[in-house]
Amino acid sequence: MTDMKRNLLSCALLLWLLPLTACAFSGKAIEGQVLEAGTNKPIPSAIVVARWQAHLGGWGHGKTVCFHVLTTTTDAQGHYHFPAWKKAAKEDWQKHLSEKEVLISAHKPGYRLAEEYPETTPKLVPFTGAREERLKYLLHSSGLVGCYGAGDEKSLMPVYKAIYDEAKIHATSDKDKDALQTIRRRALYAWSRPPRELTAREIEQAIQSDPFLREQFK
């Protein structure tokens, strides 16, 4: 029996024996609209992030993990579209996921997310807080959009870039610049997925050695 046939047979047996086991992931196309909370006015040019969540079984209750992520931008009427997708399960743990929900969030300078919605209609609210509060919100947002289980998070670069550019405007003190550095680090993780925590110097070296990062996060 060839290796290919053996792998196909293994996949078939897993699917038959374990209903929650999968050899491939897929997601249906999603369409929706980003609106302003309270007024329901459409918000154009907002960056929309879709994160596919699943339950990973284990001892006790298991945990929820993000296994796929995509970003797009709304049109003049606040509409967005994510195409259908499919990809193979590359890691053993991925074969034991039970798909749960899709979380849709959105980001636009000057707004904050009212709530992260399962599918289709995220709502944004104009941000009215002080500079320090805005920077804190941006730092918090940069920590929420990640999807470690996806393996490839490069699609998140537009939202990291938007968050970083806005944070630069508000980062005036040394403490503020620490927050800016954290956002850069998270963007670097999404771009290259390094295996360990990087020092500030290593982050700068990575950014300076990569033309894309150097241009986007200078």
Side-chain angles (χ1 to χ4, degrees), residues 29-169:
I30 298 175
E31 294 184 350
Q33 189 177 25
V34 178
L35 302 174
E36 183 178 283
T39 67
N40 283 332
K41 292 180 180 178
I43 298 182
S45 302
I47 301 173
V48 186
V49 181
R51 293 184 295 133
W52 279 260
Q53 306 276 90
H55 178 78
L56 176 62
W59 298 108
H61 299 290
K63 61 181 180 180
T64 297
V65 298
C66 177
F67 65 93
H68 191 68
V69 63
L70 291 173
T71 63
T72 190
T73 304
T74 58
D75 64 16
Q77 297 302 316
H79 293 289
Y80 66 86
H81 171 80
F82 290 106
W85 59 272
K86 185 176 182 179
K87 67 179 181 180
K90 297 181 180 180
E91 305 290 340
D92 285 341
W93 66 267
Q94 293 175 330
K95 298 174 183 177
H96 300 277
L97 295 176
S98 175
E99 294 186 26
K100 185 177 177 183
E101 61 185 358
V102 184
L103 296 181
I104 307 291
S105 61
H107 176 82
K108 185 171 182 177
Y111 287 84
R112 66 174 176 83
L113 186 66
E115 187 177 346
E116 191 172 40
Y117 287 73
E119 295 200 17
T120 71
T121 315
K123 293 189 177 182
L124 297 176
V125 180
F127 194 91
T128 58
R131 177 191 64 82
E132 296 86 354
E133 293 173 313
R134 184 60 180 177
L135 187 60
K136 184 177 180 180
Y137 172 80
L138 293 170
L139 178 62
H140 180 67
S141 295
S142 73
L144 291 180
V145 296
C147 182
Y148 186 83
D152 183 353
E153 297 177 275
K154 290 183 179 179
S155 65
L156 286 170
M157 297 310 292
V159 69
Y160 278 121
K161 170 65 173 170
I163 291 173
Y164 178 76
D165 284 349
E166 191 179 358
K168 280 179 69 175
I169 299 172

Side-chain angles (χ1 to χ4, degrees), residues 187-199:
L188 178 61
Y189 281 2
W191 179 253
S192 61
R193 186 52 68 193
R196 62 180 177 81
E197 185 80 8
L198 300 180
T199 66

